[in-house]
Amino acid sequence: MKAAVVPAASSSWQIKDVPQPQPGAGQVLVKMHASGICCTDVHQTLGHLPGQFPRILGHEPVGEIVAVAPDVTARKVGDRVGSAWIQSTCGRCEWCQRGRRMFCPCMKGTGGEAQGGHAEYMPMNADATYLIPDKVSYEQAAPIFCAGYTVYSGLRWADPQPHERVAVLGIGGLGHLAVQYAKAAGFETVAISHSPDKDKMIRELGADEIVRDGKDLAAAGGADVILSTSNSTKAMNDSIQGLRPDGRLVTMGADAEPIGLSDRSHLEAYSNNWQPAKRPRVSIRGAGLRGPGQSQIDNRDVSVSWGREGLSARCRGQDPVPRCAHHVTAGARRSGPWRLANFASSAKLRIATP
């Protein structure tokens, strides 16, 4: 079969003839009809994410099942399926037992440790496949297995309540789906967009209101949840102005710069707009996937409060890899800028009042 092969880190993709795989135990063989591309493919090509070279990427794969292993009973030839990031996990570690399979140290990811979809055929674990409705085209379905899965996961992590307001920062490949999901789930939905030329489309997607930045969001009453799909740290920092007390910022875009809760001025904004938040409490909940070369992951809960002596941080839980330990230490107090670094895409920042 033909496949797009990445022979080495930072090399060009090459179309090559490679052996056609056959389904192993618990697997199905899928003839690819569409395979989406996102920026993660770039990071994988550059060697920023784990995985051996040469590799076949593609983590938004959809197609038709053409063969099934003898032990597979839940799928059949002819099924239209797709698969998301996780192909398999150990099922035995703490994280699997807690239902957090994405943190399993033995996880095999689509297009990472397992072959991806940039090929004519791809073996998939049968229990990692999802049936695609007949009315949904392959081209429409493919991005849902990455962009759609990501923003829906962010919405779940934010845990919005029935009375709360959801804002979406950045209306692009992820953001346009986040607006639709939030609205479909029944929440008042605000779009934070710097692009007036997108306003008509944003309205058609279901947004109740459009604002340009965090200041405008605050003036419009703020948001309990901000789903950040932007890759701009500057835009993320700015949007925090519009977070209401007990609000959550869930980041799904990535930037090299850390998110900064720069000083007391950000916190005072809350007491100016939403009384009686005279001493807001900030807690940060971060969960990181494995980084390059890591055999474990970190999952660190940090409680941060602002007092007369500055920011007081307290770490909770036992973490396999305390990757953010140089930024947050138990009992540490800081009176200067508070910078949140090395939190992955499921990081949550919460603004609360005592």
Side-chain angles (χ1 to χ4, degrees), residues 1-344:
M1 70 172 184
K2 292 190 181 298
V5 179
V6 186
S10 300
S11 63
S12 298
W13 294 11
Q14 300 176 7
I15 304 300
K16 291 187 173 183
D17 287 311
V18 300
Q20 181 175 313
Q22 296 301 316
Q27 290 187 324
V28 298
L29 183 65
V30 179
K31 178 178 175 58
M32 289 292 98
H33 283 257
S35 184
I37 296 177
C38 84
C39 198
T40 299
D41 291 274
V42 176
H43 290 296
Q44 289 178 301
T45 299
L46 296 174
H48 295 165
L49 298 175
Q52 298 297 315
F53 291 95
R55 55 168 62 170
I56 299 173
L57 304 179
H59 57 277
E60 301 178 8
V62 295
E64 179 185 351
I65 294 178
V66 295
V68 299
D71 60 341
V72 173
T73 59
R75 295 289 181 265
K76 65 182 188 297
V77 171
D79 281 346
R80 305 171 75 243
V81 299
S83 188
W85 183 264
I86 299 176
Q87 278 298 306
S88 66
T89 60
C90 74
R92 303 178 65 89
C93 70
E94 173 192 355
W95 305 105
C96 287
Q97 294 296 315
R98 289 170 56 180
R100 299 295 182 89
R101 299 174 63 224
M102 62 285 215
F103 302 143
C104 174
C106 301
M107 184 190 76
K108 291 185 178 180
T110 306
E113 295 81 5
Q115 182 203 311
H118 297 341
E120 290 184 287
Y121 296 90
M122 174 185 166
M124 298 181 183
N125 282 29
D127 61 2
T129 62
Y130 301 86
L131 295 172
I132 299 172
D134 291 337
K135 293 182 179 180
V136 178
S137 71
Y138 287 116
E139 293 79 6
Q140 288 175 315
I144 300 301
F145 286 95
C146 178
Y149 185 89
T150 298
V151 295
Y152 188 69
S153 295
L155 187 62
R156 289 189 293 109
W157 267 82
D159 192 24
Q161 300 304 300
H163 61 281
E164 293 187 320
R165 213 174 182 215
V166 176
V168 178
L169 172 62
I171 313 302
L174 273 68
H176 85 287
L177 292 171
V179 168
Q180 294 177 77
Y181 289 169
K183 186 63 178 178
F187 298 102
E188 184 181 357
T189 304
V190 181
I192 309 173
S193 172
H194 300 155
S195 307
D197 59 310
K198 294 183 180 180
D199 285 0
K200 182 176 182 294
M201 177 196 70
I202 293 171
R203 293 286 187 188
E204 292 172 350
L205 293 175
D208 296 291
E209 193 164 352
I210 302 171
V211 298
R212 300 298 176 212
D213 52 27
K215 183 178 179 180
D216 285 352
L217 178 61
D224 302 282
V225 170
I226 296 178
L227 302 177
S228 172
T229 66
S230 170
N231 62 357
S232 166
T233 297
K234 181 179 178 181
M236 295 182 211
N237 286 335
D238 174 78
S239 72
I240 294 174
Q241 297 179 74
L243 262 184
R244 305 183 72 200
D246 202 25
R248 285 86 75 200
L249 168 67
V250 182
T251 63
M252 292 162 287
D255 191 0
E257 295 297 318
I259 296 175
L261 200 60
S262 60
D263 54 24
R264 185 187 293 266
S265 62
H266 263 136
L267 299 179
E268 287 178 340
Y270 305 114
S271 58
N272 291 335
N273 288 295
W274 298 291
Q275 294 291 339
K278 295 180 179 178
R279 281 189 59 196
R281 182 175 67 252
V282 183
S283 67
I284 306 139
R285 182 179 179 188
L289 292 170
R290 287 176 295 160
Q294 287 181 293
S295 60
Q296 294 285 342
I297 48 79
D298 65 81
N299 183 41
R300 178 167 292 274
D301 288 337
V302 185
S303 175
V304 186
S305 61
W306 185 278
R308 287 176 295 180
E309 300 177 44
L311 281 166
S312 174
R314 179 169 58 86
C315 297
R316 302 186 297 277
Q318 299 297 319
D319 303 302
V321 179
R323 190 171 54 184
C324 61
H326 62 291
H327 292 281
V328 180
T329 56
R333 290 189 178 275
R334 295 172 58 118
S335 56
W338 182 256
R339 299 178 69 78
L340 316 178
N342 291 336
F343 283 84

